[in-house]
């Protein structure tokens, strides 16, 4: 049966469905259709589906005109009707894997999607999870759901895992130019999944099992979280010794082996780095194991909020008791530079802490018109970005650079702010001259 699917792939007569058309799913659609392969996109969000049919892209780096071209050429079709996925040979799952209100893995999206796939399962379909999760998800969570249906209907299906390494805003690597890990539990399925990806991704890294692939992805993100925490901890220690961490990393990275630069900042953000390590911690705890590095990193990265606030107080020559009434402008609330993604941004706990201390907080972010509504920080729901002007900057007691987007007028800030707390070393890197006091944090 799998030979039939391989033949279809070789002849490029297969159809690939992508479930979840967000930061991961839409660039995948783009990469697939660019190679002339037919794709169906499924999302529960009716607006996204409508936008795509009208050639409107809502993801940076995916061109709306290209989507329109695929739709016009009958290469791409977006839908909210799951039954349409019955026509597909391969199904790629790119749904969210967040935390629930108890800060534990929420596999609800993966489970509901697997149930829908099971309800519509067709003989010979290859199903690949791309969402980030803990090792064992495919075998323990997805497979039992699909097996029940497959056995009842006497159909065969194949399972694989291929983590996504999408890096929104990265100008050097796209979906198709980033090596892609593919894991399956049999040689046949691994070969088939790899053949399928090879048609639109330059380099495929086949690994011996689904669990290795699941673990590889989560390891990459834990590695990042831990190293960012390390450099944040060193920042605090060195600052106390009068040493600038940025100078230290610049010097250390000249070693051509055995060192990789990571940079300090206001904490971590996005849908991946703050969340994925917790997936592994949770899974490890189920079998009585501890993940001390993960817990410590999370604690250190979160402590950057207090560190920045302390630096601000020192710069303003106030205490936490009398900072109330000050006006602070935050530069950048996206979680990283040059993107509009606000998820888990370290700007929000910082803004919340300042607000709790009676500070009037505004923000400027060229990528964000309004702060997206959230359960965690409802005080900032829909707050608009303030325009940068000489008058506005001068009216503020301090400016904190949280996210160093390239298209911010740092000269204007340097010229008119009386106190600048720079968490990204943005001003020094850009060689901006400042009339006020600059403090790194
Ligand atoms: N954003 C990244 O840079 C990135 C990088 C690597 C891996 N990942 C992982 O990829 C997965 C997806 O992340 P994302 O950033 O693309 O999320 P996203 O929120 O941008 O997109 C998810 C999409 O899934 C849709 N959706 C929600 N429930 C659905 C359902 N039941 N059926 C179909 N669609 C549904 C949403 O409407 C949304 O369009 C996550 O596991 C994430 O950890 C993300």
């Amino acid at each position: 049966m799998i030979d039939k699917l391989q033949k279809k792939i070789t002849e490029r007569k297969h159809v690939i469905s992508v479930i979840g058309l967000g930061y991961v799913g839409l660039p995948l659609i783009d990469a697939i259709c660019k190679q002339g392969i037919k794709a169906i996109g499924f999302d529960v969000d009716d607006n996204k589906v409508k936008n795509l049919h009208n050639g409107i892209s809502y993801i940076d780096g995916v061109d709306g005109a290209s989507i329109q071209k695929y739709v016009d050429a009958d290469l791409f079709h977006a839908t909210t009707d799951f039954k349409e996925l019955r026509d597909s040979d391969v199904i790629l799952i790119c749904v969210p894997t967040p935390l629930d209100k108890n800060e534990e893995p929420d596999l609800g999206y993966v489970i509901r999607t697997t149930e829908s796939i099971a309800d519509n399962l067709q003989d010979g379909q290859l199903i690949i999870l791309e969402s980030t999760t803990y090792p064992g998800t495919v075998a323990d969570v997805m497979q039992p759901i699909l097996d029940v249906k497959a056995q009842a209907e006497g159909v065969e299906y194949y399972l694989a895992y291929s983590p996504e390494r999408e890096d929104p805003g990265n100008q050097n690597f796209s979906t198709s130019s980033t090596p892609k890990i593919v894991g399956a539990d049999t040689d046949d399925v691994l070969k088939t999944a790899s053949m399928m990806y090879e048609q639109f991704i330059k380099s495929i890294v086949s690994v011996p099992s689904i669990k290795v692939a699941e673990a590889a992805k989560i390891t990459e993100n834990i590695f990042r979280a831990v190293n960012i925490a390390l450099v944040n901890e060193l920042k605090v220690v060195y600052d106390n010794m009068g040493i600038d961490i940025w100078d230290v990393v610049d010097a250390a990275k000249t070693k051509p082996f055995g060192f990789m630069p990571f940079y300090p900042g206001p904490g971590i953000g996005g849908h991946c780095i703050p969340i994925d390590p917790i997936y592994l911690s949770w899974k490890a705890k189920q079998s009585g194991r501890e993940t001390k590095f993960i817990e410590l990193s999370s604690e250190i990265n979160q402590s950057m909020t207090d560190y920045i606030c302390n630096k601000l107080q020192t710069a303003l020559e106030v205490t936490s008791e009398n900072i109330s009434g000050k006006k602070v402008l935050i530069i950048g609330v996206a979680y990283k530079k040059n993107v509009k993604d606000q998820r888990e941004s370290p700007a929000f706990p910082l803004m919340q802490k300042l607000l709790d201390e009676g500070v009037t907080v505004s923000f400027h972010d060229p990528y964000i018109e309004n702060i997206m509504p959230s359960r965690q920080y409802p005080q900032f729901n829909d707050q608009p970005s303030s325009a940068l002007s000489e008058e506005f900057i001068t009216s503020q007691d301090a400016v904190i650079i949280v996210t160093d987007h390239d298209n911010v007028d740092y000269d204007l800030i340097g010229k008119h702010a009386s106190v600048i707390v720079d968490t990204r070393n943005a001003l020094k890197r850009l060689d901006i001259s400042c009339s006020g006091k600059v403090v790194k944090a």
Side-chain angles (χ1 to χ4, degrees):
M1 171 61 81
I2 202 159
D3 300 355
K4 221 166 119 189
L5 176 58
Q6 287 177 356
K7 186 164 178 286
K8 247 182 155 177
I9 292 171
T10 310
E11 292 169 355
R12 302 169 86 89
K13 288 185 177 151
H14 61 304
V15 176
I16 303 176
S17 283
V18 175
I19 302 179
L21 303 173
Y23 282 93
V24 165
L26 195 60
L28 260 176
I29 291 280
D30 191 23
I32 295 166
C33 294
K34 206 171 261 160
Q35 297 307 318
I37 299 160
K38 230 172 165 167
I40 300 172
F42 173 86
D43 205 291
V44 288
D45 185 339
D46 199 33
N47 274 335
K48 284 187 177 155
V49 167
K50 277 189 192 134
N51 278 336
L52 294 172
H53 276 168
N54 291 321
I56 299 167
S57 167
Y58 42 82
I59 299 285
D60 296 327
V62 176
D63 180 22
S66 302
I67 298 290
Q68 187 69 65
K69 224 170 58 193
Y70 308 143
V71 171
D72 294 345
D74 214 16
L75 266 181
F76 173 57
H77 171 69
T79 183
T80 52
D81 180 2
F82 213 95
K83 289 194 188 70
E84 293 194 37
L85 272 62
R86 290 180 181 172
D87 295 333
S88 49
D89 304 285
V90 179
I91 298 176
L92 308 180
I93 304 168
C94 309
V95 294
T97 44
L99 299 176
D100 64 16
K101 58 180 185 328
N102 302 318
E103 298 285 294
E104 290 184 350
D106 175 4
L107 284 179
Y109 297 88
V110 172
I111 293 169
R112 285 192 292 281
T113 298
T114 310
E115 286 168 348
S116 301
I117 294 173
D119 288 344
N120 295 279
L121 193 64
Q122 301 296 303
D123 207 20
Q125 277 182 330
L126 170 61
I127 299 152
I128 306 178
L129 180 65
E130 296 222 1
S131 302
T132 310
T133 183
Y134 56 75
T137 302
V138 172
D140 303 340
V141 178
M142 292 178 65
Q143 199 173 337
I145 299 171
L146 293 162
D147 276 352
V148 170
K149 181 67 186 227
Q151 280 156 17
E153 307 241 318
V155 297
E156 203 170 292
Y157 74 94
Y158 315 109
L159 264 182
Y161 180 77
S162 180
E164 194 47 63
R165 287 166 157 171
E166 187 64 26
D167 185 17
N170 191 322
Q171 302 297 319
N172 301 321
F173 290 97
S174 64
T175 301
S176 56
S177 67
T178 306
K180 190 150 177 58
I181 291 175
V182 181
D185 292 342
T186 68
D187 290 345
D188 267 352
V189 177
L190 184 58
K191 183 178 160 200
T192 313
S194 302
M195 278 169 62
M196 185 271 307
Y197 280 122
E198 266 162 10
Q199 292 179 336
F200 58 92
I201 288 171
K202 237 182 237 160
S203 167
I204 302 301
V205 183
S206 303
V207 301
S209 69
I210 286 176
K211 280 190 179 158
V212 168
E214 289 171 323
K217 170 66 193 182
I218 219 151
T219 301
E220 289 169 13
N221 285 353
I222 290 167
F223 176 81
R224 243 187 112 59
V226 168
N227 278 287
I228 293 170
L230 173 64
V231 83
N232 273 332
E233 183 173 72
L234 294 179
K235 164 179 77 175
V236 177
V237 171
Y238 289 150
D239 182 62
N240 201 36
M241 299 174 179
I243 302 165
D244 185 334
I245 182 72
W246 294 89
D247 293 339
V248 175
V249 175
D250 278 349
K253 76 178 183 193
T254 59
K255 185 180 178 186
F257 45 84
F259 184 85
M260 188 185 282
F262 281 84
Y263 297 97
I268 50 176
H271 184 36
C272 298
I273 311 296
I275 290 170
D276 301 348
I278 298 171
Y279 266 66
L280 189 70
S281 293
W282 180 86
K283 184 66 182 166
K285 271 191 205 119
Q286 306 299 298
S287 50
R289 300 280 171 200
E290 281 184 274
T291 51
K292 291 185 191 169
F293 267 114
I294 293 176
E295 261 107 76
L296 183 61
S297 313
S298 166
E299 192 188 310
I300 293 173
N301 286 327
Q302 282 174 22
S303 74
M304 290 304 111
T305 300
D306 285 351
Y307 180 70
I308 296 165
C309 283
N310 289 339
K311 284 283 187 182
L312 173 70
Q313 285 162 19
T314 310
L316 287 174
E317 297 171 13
V318 294
T319 63
S320 56
E321 280 74 45
N322 60 9
I323 196 171
S324 179
K326 298 287 183 195
K327 291 186 202 145
V328 172
L329 167 64
I330 303 286
I331 299 295
V333 296
Y335 83 90
K336 70 171 182 176
K337 70 189 285 181
N338 303 339
V339 301
K340 61 180 178 207
D341 194 346
Q342 308 171 40
R343 291 178 295 179
E344 311 293 324
S345 172
F348 298 130
L350 177 63
M351 289 167 71
Q352 183 66 56
K353 187 169 168 61
L354 292 171
L355 198 69
D356 291 346
E357 289 179 349
V359 172
T360 303
V361 189
S362 55
F363 81 94
H364 170 76
D365 190 314
Y367 289 88
I368 292 169
E369 270 175 43
N370 299 85
I371 292 177
M372 65 177 183
S374 77
R375 238 187 314 130
Q376 222 178 344
Y377 301 106
Q379 292 86 336
F380 303 119
N381 287 0
D382 298 318
Q383 183 172 333
S385 172
S386 303
L388 268 194
S389 65
E390 178 182 336
E391 299 71 49
F392 187 61
I393 296 169
T394 316
S395 73
Q396 301 297 301
D397 294 293
V399 172
I400 306 180
I401 300 173
V402 172
T403 306
D404 52 338
H405 294 303
D406 287 336
N407 55 349
V408 167
D409 191 343
Y410 295 103
D411 276 318
L412 194 71
I413 295 169
K415 226 179 265 169
H416 302 293
S418 49
V419 168
I420 304 172
V421 178
D422 188 353
T423 71
R424 301 283 190 178
N425 198 29
L427 302 179
K428 184 164 176 219
R429 266 188 296 113
L430 296 168
D431 207 13
I432 303 286
S433 59
C434 302
S435 55
K437 193 191 292 181
V438 180
V439 175
K440 287 189 192 175

